[in-house]
Amino acid sequence: MGREAVRRFVELAIPNHAICKPERSKGEDVGMGNCLQKVGIKMGDTRDHLGQGRFWQRHPATVLSRPLDRTRHSYYPISQGDRPHACCSATLISFHKLSVPELYMLDYLIYKIRVFGHIPALPLKPALPPDLSVVPENTIQKYREYEARQLQRTESSTEIPSSEVPE
């Protein structure tokens, strides 16, 4: 969530009980989303460029083992694929319903283990969401400038200096 969304939530939504009811009738994420929409914050498509989900409202074991449950809580269609993990983005952000020991285990598996001989290609290039209507134009422009700089670096690193070109 951006700063302006946080500001509107704290200053406009929470104090106004007509916009944001204090009693909890739905999950906190759904309730917060409804409050944000009422103060003019647009919800965006958080899937990656392949249509794979980044935010999951279920436990990872459930998401991976029960494909039909994947779309039950998704506004946008999720790419299913023919493999269990085809649903989930390589730039995945979160799962819900994890216990504290499971979070520690994931931290260990993700950040501590280094597979021998594998050199990760980091940092990951940020992918834009498919629905660009909710992304501010200046953000899209900065992304395009970033891509152009990366392309120039790639091209300049593959060029052979003229002094090394055989005649």
Side-chain angles (χ1 to χ4, degrees):
M1 222 170 33
R3 281 190 179 146
E4 179 62 15
V6 172
R7 186 194 69 75
R8 288 186 192 188
F9 183 67
V10 171
E11 294 177 7
L12 303 175
I14 292 175
N16 186 341
H17 292 195
I19 293 174
C20 227
K21 294 181 174 54
E23 66 273 354
R24 183 175 166 177
S25 58
K26 298 179 179 179
E28 73 283 351
D29 52 350
V30 174
M32 188 174 182
N34 290 335
C35 292
L36 288 166
Q37 284 183 328
K38 290 176 183 174
V39 293
I41 302 298
K42 290 183 180 180
M43 298 298 142
D45 184 354
T46 59
R47 296 173 302 163
D48 68 8
H49 62 289
L50 300 173
Q52 296 173 323
R54 288 188 173 129
F55 291 92
W56 291 95
Q57 298 83 7
R58 297 277 179 249
H59 190 279
T62 304
V63 172
L64 295 172
S65 65
R66 290 194 260 169
L68 297 178
D69 283 354
R70 292 178 189 158
T71 57
R72 184 180 305 165
H73 298 284
S74 300
Y75 181 81
Y76 295 98
I78 300 294
S79 171
Q80 295 294 317
D82 56 353
R83 294 168 299 176
H85 62 277
C87 62
C88 303
S89 175
T91 55
L92 186 130
I93 295 169
S94 73
F95 283 109
H96 283 226
K97 308 200 185 306
L98 289 161
S99 68
V100 171
E102 288 172 323
L103 290 170
Y104 279 113
M105 178 188 65
L106 283 175
D107 178 74
Y108 175 74
L109 294 172
I110 294 168
Y111 300 110
K112 306 292 189 276
I113 291 180
R114 296 291 175 249
V115 177
F116 180 76
H118 175 72
I119 301 170
L122 293 176
L124 294 173
K125 178 181 167 189
L128 287 176
D131 180 11
L132 297 180
S133 66
V134 298
V135 178
E137 187 57 41
N138 63 340
T139 301
I140 294 171
Q141 184 59 36
K142 286 179 185 177
Y143 180 81
R144 290 187 177 133
E145 290 168 2
Y146 167 82
E147 279 189 321
R149 284 193 307 273
Q150 293 301 105
L151 183 61
Q152 287 173 348
R153 285 184 189 143
T154 304
E155 289 172 351
S156 66
S157 67
T158 58
E159 291 178 6
I160 300 172
S162 59
S163 60
E164 294 178 18
V165 176
E167 291 183 29

